[in-house]
Amino acid sequence: MNNVLTEDLNSLLTSEIEWSNFKDKRILVTGATGLVGSMVVRSLIYANEKLDLGLEVIGLIRNQAKADRIYEGCMGKDALSFCLDDLSGDEPISLEGKVDYIVHAAAVTTSKVMVSDPVGTIDVALKGTKNILNLAVEKGTKGVVYISSMEIYGQSADPEDTRESDLGYVDLAAVRSCYPEGKRMCECMCTAYAAQHGIRISSARLAQTFGAGILPTENRVFAQFARSALRGEDIVLKTEGKSEGNYVYTIDAVKAILMLLYKGEAGQAYNVANESSHTTIRKMAELVSKTLSQEKSKVVIDIPADSKKLGYAPDVKMKLNSDKIEALGWKPTVGLTDAYRRMAEWMKEQKMI
């Protein structure tokens, strides 16, 4: 186990999470080979080892070899097993035994896939979520957290102080809208199941999440910026960088998700963002240059002629308000500069440069 991630996981053990809620529980995590899902799994099996919780963690995956690579050497993995399933299929999930909690993190997260396979993106979202919610009903699950996204807001109705009720405009004529509109429908489905079946389901609308624990295959903009800076290469923006980003550190996001499993209100959504970690893409690139390369890496704008085919999200101006989840006791601990420093340390240790 790597040092910076161990520090993060240890901080989780002494955080505001009430670990007694997970004693002797069986927890299913979908998307267990993605960033958010894998971090939730790592955190649970680590806490189980250190706190003797008697947990059983099931990672729902599509690729066993990928899962084996991700969890090789992880502390506490004896408590972890896997379920192979394609959530976008029409067949129900076959899983024996009880399921006390579910974290549903499986989703398409690559912009290029969203525009090259929008139908598949929708299928993963809608069919996958319906299959998970049917499983929760079947098992009488105590709590479900659906991993949503800040993209659900579209062009926010209140860009200066975006709260959970401030849904804005999403252009349905844009192919990439399959992602935010799919997230909206999945949240609507969660609300319907909560009302009709009495399952306590809440949605975590995550800001852009990154930090120690990112996977070697990660290619989203935060990882691209860090790699370029650590190599002393120019940081190349494929847009003008005007979008205002909302961010949250990996372990802070995990803390929010775990808290919502036992504290989240049925049918409710919660913004998960560090309000101090808010900036434009351009300014973030400049921060990365300064922090990781001492400004040796220059910020360059190079917009490709076929940029629409790459599936970049439209420019947005939005600042997420996190009052609702902070009222439950959640507090973010790692700001944007330290998030990049810690992620860079992780990338070096994992030879991801």
Side-chain angles (χ1 to χ4, degrees):
M1 181 69 75
N2 126 295
N3 289 333
V4 66
L5 186 56
T6 302
E7 289 175 5
D8 286 347
L9 294 174
N10 281 329
S11 74
L12 202 61
L13 301 182
T14 56
S15 70
E16 55 269 37
I17 293 174
E18 299 167 17
W19 288 105
S20 59
N21 289 284
F22 300 114
K23 182 71 174 175
D24 298 321
K25 296 299 188 291
R26 196 169 188 238
I27 303 176
L28 174 67
V29 181
T30 74
T33 57
L35 172 57
V36 174
S38 66
M39 282 298 296
V40 171
V41 170
R42 285 176 185 269
S43 299
L44 287 170
I45 62 176
Y46 188 85
N48 182 66
E49 180 79 11
K50 293 292 186 178
L51 302 177
D52 193 24
L53 295 173
L55 271 178
E56 182 181 349
V57 181
I58 306 164
L60 194 148
I61 59 172
R62 292 188 299 173
N63 187 318
Q64 185 65 58
K66 184 177 180 181
D68 291 341
R69 289 194 299 272
I70 290 172
Y71 296 105
E72 182 182 5
C74 285
M75 179 176 287
K77 70 174 184 177
D78 288 346
L80 175 62
S81 60
F82 296 104
C83 173
L84 283 166
D85 200 295
D86 182 358
L87 284 177
S88 62
D90 295 320
E91 295 297 318
I93 298 167
S94 178
L95 188 63
E96 297 295 327
K98 68 173 185 173
V99 179
D100 296 297
Y101 293 110
I102 299 174
V103 176
H104 180 31
V108 172
T109 59
T110 305
S111 289
K112 194 171 182 179
V113 175
M114 295 171 196
V115 295
S116 65
D117 185 18
V119 174
T121 299
I122 291 172
D123 278 346
V124 169
L126 300 191
K127 290 183 179 180
T129 300
K130 186 174 183 180
N131 284 335
I132 285 297
L133 295 180
N134 283 336
L135 181 70
V137 172
E138 175 193 337
K139 300 294 185 181
T141 299
K142 293 166 64 69
V144 180
V145 173
Y146 170 66
I147 304 303
S148 190
S149 166
M150 64 182 180
E151 285 202 40
I152 200 170
Y153 290 106
Q155 300 292 330
S156 173
D158 187 352
E160 299 295 339
D161 186 41
T162 303
R163 296 172 184 263
E164 286 78 2
S165 59
D166 294 325
L167 292 185
Y169 172 72
V170 173
D171 181 7
L172 296 186
V175 174
R176 195 190 179 284
S177 293
C178 63
Y179 179 74
E181 199 65 22
K183 289 290 187 185
R184 285 187 175 189
M185 187 61 216
C186 287
E187 282 200 24
C188 186
M189 201 184 305
C190 289
T191 301
Y193 270 77
Q196 187 165 332
H197 296 287
I199 300 295
R200 192 169 53 77
I201 307 162
S202 55
S203 298
R205 293 177 182 168
L206 297 187
Q208 184 79 264
T209 303
F210 72 92
I214 68 165
L215 303 173
T217 53
E218 182 61 72
N219 200 40
R220 279 173 285 186
V221 66
F222 54 81
Q224 292 180 26
F225 286 2
R227 286 192 188 97
S228 295
L230 291 171
R231 292 169 178 164
E233 300 169 354
D234 288 344
I235 297 173
V236 180
L237 302 187
K238 300 298 184 179
T239 69
E240 293 185 10
K242 293 179 179 179
S243 279
E244 295 188 12
N246 301 265
Y247 303 93
V248 64
Y249 187 65
T250 40
I251 211 68
D252 285 333
V254 170
K255 184 167 58 175
I257 293 164
L258 295 182
M259 189 174 292
L260 288 176
L261 279 175
Y262 61 87
K263 271 193 174 182
E265 186 178 343
Q268 292 295 303
Y270 298 82
N271 288 339
V272 180
N274 186 332
E275 290 190 37
S276 67
S277 298
H278 176 84
T279 186
T280 66
I281 300 296
R282 174 65 184 263
K283 289 181 179 178
M284 185 175 73
E286 292 168 350
L287 180 147
V288 173
S289 171
K290 181 179 179 180
T291 302
L292 301 186
S293 77
Q294 292 72 52
E295 298 183 329
K296 293 177 183 176
S297 299
K298 304 303 179 186
V299 177
V300 177
I301 295 177
D302 181 17
I303 302 174
D306 61 345
S307 59
K308 288 186 179 180
K309 295 181 181 180
L310 299 176
Y312 296 127
D315 286 343
V316 295
K317 177 180 173 64
M318 177 175 62
K319 185 172 184 180
L320 293 180
N321 179 296
S322 60
D323 286 353
K324 189 173 180 180
I325 193 167
E326 290 191 21
L328 299 182
W330 178 79
K331 293 288 184 185
T333 57
V334 181
L336 195 57
T337 300
D338 283 341
Y340 263 105
R341 286 175 175 153
R342 297 185 72 77
M343 183 176 71
E345 186 177 342
W346 162 261
M347 292 172 77
K348 290 175 184 175
E349 292 173 352
Q350 296 297 302
K351 297 180 174 55
M352 293 168 57
I353 309 304

